[in-house]
Amino acid sequence: MTNYDTIIVGGGPAGLTAAIYSARARLNTLLIEKTYPGGLMMISEHIENYPGFPSGVSGPELCVAMKDQVEKFGAKIEMAEISSIDLTGTNKLISTTAGDFSAKTVILAMGAKPRRLGVPGEKECQGRGVSYCATCDGPFFKGKKIAVVGGGDTAVEDSCYLTKFADDVTIIHRRDKFRAAKMLQERVLANPRIQVLWDSVVEEIHGNPDVDRLIVRNLMTGSRSELKVDGVFVLIGQEPDTEFIGSQVILDDFGYILTDTEMRTNIPGVFAAGDVRQKTFRQIVTACADGAIAANSAEKYVEAVEAGELVAAVPETGLIQDIIGEIPSPISDSTILDATKE
Ligand SMILES: Cc1cc2nc3c(=O)[nH]c(=O)nc-3n(C[C@H](O)[C@H](O)[C@H](O)COP(=O)(O)OP(=O)(O)OC[C@H]3O[C@@H](n4cnc5c(N)ncnc54)[C@H](O)[C@@H]3O)c2cc1C
């Protein structure tokens, strides 16, 4: 079994940044990625809001640059599936399709996948008018006509945000009322640029190659109609990739990992970074920031253990859920409940 100071699970921007910081801190570092390094950046055609690229940068280009930087500082990247993980002991044990590994610290950076509609045309038009992120892609729809699918906090709040760019926003929601917070509902219903198609679902997305229309079905009447749009934002929730860690680490009700501000979880030596943890703003730059903080915390942990110091567990009350209290999360209860019905 190969032993490391730090094993990072997940090679998106959070994991790659953690690997850069960890390797530069002279920690013997392994990054395990199950598909390809880069995570969701790989499916982001054009990134305009990552600092340092005034003309924007393609997602795949940023993936390669971050991966090269990781390898330059000597971290090892292993492409493997994890079959079991034991985070509870002083030595963390990870079995994968590429062999067994152990480490003093683990940084969990598995991200969260956006939920898809699963309708014809969605996959083909992704990045060509089909989007899963209003903050990321909203500015590309200046003066355009768009649709938003969903009825939770994220869909409703982001519809208002999208009117900063689009002239016309149609929310398509399968129920006859929103699940979003009352205040958000009032704001959206009062916005003259937003209309709502209640009791309706998207059945097809068309475009050649860019989205130009949707086929929408009214669930009450069964009638199908065509909606001409330049883009559609699918905002029906996300799924964090945390099932395989079971109950070892404390998760919130939706499967996101709870951490404190130093990215520590409830288990000493186990940290989490990026979209996989409970937080309010999921972007590349915030994932990178989390990764840097997690690696710094891992470094301090290794130093403390090597100095023979005892490292106490973070008390449950110190984890982020208790700190943020009532602040609404974009991945709120209402969004998820709605998503399961879409
Ligand atoms: C279509 C789209 C466009 C976006 N555009 C932008 C943008 O323009 N600007 C911006 O700032 N943000 C954008 N975002 C958001 C941004 O991509 C995410 O916030 C960011 O990628 C999160 O980084 P992460 O490292 O936490 O997770 P991810 O990028 O999701 O990476 C997680 C990685 O972990 C791997 N993994 C998961 N489980 C395991 C496992 N068990 N074992 C090994 N590996 C595992 C995955 O394969 C993946 O590679 C966009 C998101 C989407 C969906």
Side-chain angles (χ1 to χ4, degrees), residues 13-310:
L16 291 168
T17 307
I20 291 166
Y21 276 74
S22 167
R24 285 192 81 238
R26 297 278 177 267
L27 296 183
N28 187 15
T29 304
L30 171 70
L31 184 149
I32 300 172
E33 166 56 53
K34 69 174 176 185
T35 55
Y36 40 74
L40 289 178
M41 292 190 300
M42 206 65 185
I43 58 162
S44 310
E45 209 148 289
H46 190 66
I47 297 163
E48 275 197 330
N49 55 3
Y50 190 72
F53 298 92
S55 312
V57 59
S58 88
E61 216 177 307
L62 199 50
C63 294
V64 172
M66 285 192 193
K67 175 182 166 283
D68 288 352
Q69 206 169 346
V70 165
E71 288 174 335
K72 176 186 156 191
F73 291 118
K76 193 169 177 219
I77 298 179
E78 198 74 69
M79 308 293 283
E81 284 273 352
I82 292 176
S83 40
S84 73
I85 186 161
D86 182 357
L87 300 170
T88 51
T90 316
N91 251 354
K92 321 296 177 196
L93 308 172
I94 301 183
S95 293
T96 77
T97 45
D100 297 340
F101 306 101
S102 73
K104 295 174 186 136
T105 63
V106 169
I107 298 174
L108 300 167
M110 296 87 72
K113 286 190 286 284
R115 284 208 170 95
R116 320 257 163 183
L117 289 172
V119 299
E122 182 179 22
K123 208 167 160 208
E124 295 79 353
C125 292
Q126 183 172 323
R128 300 197 157 280
V130 173
S131 171
Y132 302 89
C133 176
T135 312
C136 316
D137 298 332
F140 296 124
F141 291 89
K142 211 155 193 271
K144 307 269 185 188
K145 185 172 160 55
I146 58 171
V148 169
V149 184
D153 284 355
T154 305
V156 171
E157 190 169 11
D158 285 358
S159 296
C160 285
Y161 168 76
L162 288 165
T163 59
K164 285 186 181 185
F165 315 103
D167 281 349
D168 190 298
V169 176
T170 303
I171 303 179
I172 301 168
H173 182 40
R174 59 173 299 125
R175 297 168 181 274
D176 60 358
K177 52 178 158 320
F178 291 127
R179 285 180 169 275
K182 269 274 170 317
M183 191 188 69
L184 292 175
Q185 295 191 34
E186 284 163 13
R187 206 183 299 159
V188 91
L189 295 172
N191 190 319
R193 289 194 184 183
I194 299 178
Q195 49 280 319
V196 186
L197 292 181
W198 301 106
D199 298 313
S200 299
V201 291
V202 173
E203 287 201 329
E204 292 166 30
I205 298 173
H206 290 270
N208 187 23
D210 297 335
V211 169
D212 56 21
R213 71 205 144 92
L214 310 176
I215 303 297
V216 178
R217 185 160 65 89
N218 183 296
L219 294 171
M220 292 295 127
T221 62
S223 67
R224 277 161 55 96
S225 58
E226 193 177 274
L227 181 69
K228 287 202 185 311
V229 287
D230 303 297
V232 53
F233 286 78
V234 180
L235 303 177
I236 56 174
Q238 289 180 308
E239 286 165 352
D241 209 337
T242 48
E243 226 167 76
F244 73 98
I245 54 175
S247 57
Q248 298 182 68
V249 170
I250 298 180
L251 309 175
D252 71 9
D253 294 345
F254 310 106
Y256 290 95
I257 300 172
L258 299 191
T259 69
D260 68 359
T261 52
E262 303 308 307
M263 307 302 139
R264 294 179 296 187
T265 69
N266 57 303
I267 303 180
V270 178
F271 308 88
D275 285 9
V276 76
R277 70 182 196 93
Q278 189 197 63
K279 60 181 193 175
T280 52
F281 196 44
R282 293 187 169 88
Q283 289 283 278
I284 296 167
V285 77
T286 59
C288 292
D290 285 1
I293 296 168
N296 184 52
S297 296
E299 182 192 357
K300 285 187 188 147
Y301 176 87
V302 170
E303 279 170 9
V305 168
E306 283 175 353
E309 292 166 19
L310 276 179

